[in-house]
Amino acid sequence: MSAPLPTPLLGIVADDFTGATDIAAMLAARGMRAVQTIGVPQPGETVEADAIVVALKSRTAPAAEAVAQSRAALAWLREAGCRQFFFKYCSTFDSTDEGNIGPVAEALLADLGAGFALACPAFPANNRSVYAGHLFVGTRLLNESGMENHPLTPMKDADLVRVLGRQTTAPVGLVPFMSVRQGAAAIRDAMTRLAEQGRRFAIVDAVGNEDLMAIGAAAASHALITGGSGVAMGLPENFRASGLLPARDDAMDLPAVAGHAAVLSGSCSRATLMQVGHARSLFPVLEIDPLANPNEDAMTQAALDWARPQLGERPVVIAASAPPERVAAIQQALGRETAGALIERTLARIAEGLVAFGVRRLVVAGGETSGAVVSRLGAKRLRIGHEIAPGVPWTLAEGTGPTLKLALKSGNFGGPAFFAEAFETA
Ligand code: ADP
């Protein structure tokens, strides 16, 4: 008989794909073997990890749908044996008065039979801090940070007690910085008092990593924690302190994968444009021009014909990325959504072709682009490895046929040399 799989400790429900990778990388860097699943796994599916992050696409879904998806994820994580649960949302608290942070948090709390959960999106390393319940991005209040103009979740109020209060049925409390600064015991006392007063949620102030560590310690016995990746920082230590998690220095080790290397870029964000520019002096780069021939089959075939003779240790780079004026011209000619979907489908099909040619290490730039590639390749899970840049780890994809290493980069992440740096470590 084979030894039983070690049961996971922490189960995370993440409201989007790159946010899921972010918290998984945070936990892996602090000694928990972490796996991100693409959507809710099948009943009975087993995943060997200390922390399992179920990546949903629920951030901007209708609230009822987000609640249903999140409850299904929680049910699977409970079945898998997790002991503590985390609802991960964005560190800019992306939501509307209809949800989805409040409705999802209330539903998860009810399913767990718990009475109270903290809410803390602070992530000081990324310039997100919470003081007096107000969320700051750098030195700006959230509602003056640019987030007030977000197309889907405009954040016009920085007072998170008020924001979350509008999304929940019970009043929301605050654990002020005064208490947080005094450490875990004071935070625990403050949360107990708020729970006794009938608060089911409390925004917790935090401006530095030491605050997040103290909050994590104070929440050791909580069934549910809600927040950004930052507040997950203190949780691995709780599991180690209680003897559930061995000290690991290999949590981020992935097996070596031999095979050709490639980069696919569908991001037009400034950081990615710099990275593609930088790559030109190092690697063969093909620019896909959807205006020249906006035909998926033709663009896919041309890119694969170009790439095939050049594949090897040195990555080939295939990019649809273009500066804003070029993107505007393409969108005007084809329509914004049609252009986006055409390029996503084309890059996903190129990825599939490259894998058929023996590419096994693949960097994808762009959040939506990554989603399209991952689903085309059939990846079910990503085992989290070392970070190439903050928030962007190498991952080992499972469910793709041949084993692949994937690095999925949200547009604005990484420095100019990101692509070269990625392949130095894979
Ligand atoms: P990011 O993470 O930078 O936002 P995404 O992949 O999420 O990147 O989004 C970029 C979107 O832009 C995708 O839908 C992609 O297909 C589209 N796109 C990529 N290149 C072009 C282009 N040259 N013209 C128009 N749209 C493009």
Side-chain angles (χ1 to χ4, degrees):
M1 227 177 78
S2 58
L5 287 177
T7 48
L9 300 169
L10 185 60
I12 296 128
V13 180
D15 71 355
D16 91 331
F17 189 89
T18 40
T21 311
D22 201 16
I23 190 167
M26 162 71 78
L27 293 166
R30 282 159 187 77
M32 294 184 95
R33 293 170 312 161
V35 168
Q36 167 179 355
T37 70
I38 319 294
V40 183
Q42 294 301 313
E45 203 175 317
T46 52
V47 175
E48 194 183 346
D50 304 314
I52 304 176
V53 187
V54 176
L56 302 176
K57 269 181 135 177
S58 57
R59 183 170 296 168
T60 55
E65 199 181 302
V67 166
Q69 281 186 32
S70 306
R71 293 185 65 203
L74 177 71
W76 186 88
L77 289 164
R78 294 180 86 180
E79 190 65 33
C82 296
R83 294 162 178 261
Q84 188 174 42
F85 302 89
F86 194 109
F87 171 35
K88 156 74 175 73
Y89 40 78
C90 188
S91 61
T92 42
F93 216 75
D94 299 19
S95 54
T96 67
D97 287 352
E98 285 69 51
N100 292 336
I101 295 178
V104 169
E106 282 195 317
L108 299 184
L109 205 57
D111 282 358
L112 289 166
F116 178 88
L118 68 84
C120 181
F123 199 169
N126 283 353
N127 273 325
R128 276 35 160 195
S129 52
V130 181
Y131 182 78
H134 287 64
L135 179 54
F136 290 83
V137 178
T139 57
R140 312 302 304 173
L141 280 163
L142 178 66
N143 58 308
E144 299 170 6
S145 68
M147 276 304 293
E148 69 275 22
N149 299 320
H150 191 283
L152 301 173
T153 51
M155 300 303 294
K156 295 183 186 294
D157 188 357
D159 181 341
L160 298 185
V161 174
R162 226 162 33 194
V163 172
L164 187 56
R166 285 194 289 263
Q167 299 179 28
T168 57
T169 52
V172 174
L174 171 69
V175 178
F177 189 62
M178 272 309 216
S179 304
V180 174
R181 197 169 48 176
Q182 289 166 36
I187 300 169
R188 209 176 295 123
D189 288 348
M191 291 194 292
T192 305
R193 273 197 307 278
L194 289 166
E196 284 167 2
Q197 291 163 13
R199 306 281 197 253
R200 285 223 295 278
F201 296 99
I203 302 294
V204 185
D205 282 351
V207 302
N209 284 350
E210 63 281 14
D211 303 326
L212 296 175
M213 292 301 291
I215 296 165
S221 65
H222 288 197
L224 178 70
I225 294 162
T226 85
S229 304
V231 76
M233 185 180 282
L235 304 181
E237 195 47 45
N238 293 340
F239 293 116
R240 275 190 291 271
S242 59
L244 292 165
L245 178 69
R248 299 189 194 283
D249 54 14
D250 60 351
M252 295 181 293
D253 287 359
L254 298 179
V257 172
H260 304 325
V263 176
L264 289 175
S265 178
S267 161
C268 302
S269 298
R270 202 177 297 164
T272 305
L273 294 175
M274 301 253 295
Q275 289 154 358
V276 173
H278 185 270
R280 266 184 248 281
S281 59
L282 301 172
F283 311 126
V285 176
L286 175 73
E287 275 171 47
I288 294 184
D289 179 3
L291 274 191
N293 184 4
N295 176 303
E296 196 181 315
D297 292 338
M299 288 192 290
T300 304
Q301 196 55 50
L304 291 174
D305 289 346
W306 172 85
R308 191 169 199 174
Q310 313 194 62
L311 291 174
E313 276 288 306
R314 187 175 71 149
V316 297
V317 179
I318 299 173
S321 312
E325 57 286 358
R326 180 84 190 137
V327 171
I330 292 167
Q331 288 179 338
Q332 199 167 16
L334 302 177
R336 177 194 294 264
E337 286 186 12
T338 309
L342 171 72
I343 293 165
E344 285 170 33
R345 276 198 314 273
T346 303
L347 289 173
R349 286 182 55 189
I350 294 171
E352 191 177 42
L354 290 174
V355 171
F357 292 160
V359 167
R360 297 289 178 267
R361 295 169 299 143
L362 182 63
V363 171
V364 186
E368 293 298 325
T369 309
S370 293
V373 168
V374 159
S375 82
R376 183 89 193 188
L377 294 177
K380 285 190 172 152
R381 297 193 279 257
L382 303 174
R383 189 166 290 279
I384 306 296
H386 286 270
E387 278 180 317
I388 304 158
V392 199
W394 271 112
T395 71
L396 194 73
E398 297 172 4
T400 48
T403 302
L404 301 180
K405 267 197 177 164
L406 297 179
L408 307 170
K409 189 190 84 75
S410 121
N412 267 321
F413 282 13
F418 178 85
F419 297 149
E421 287 161 7
F423 290 102
E424 279 162 18
T425 58

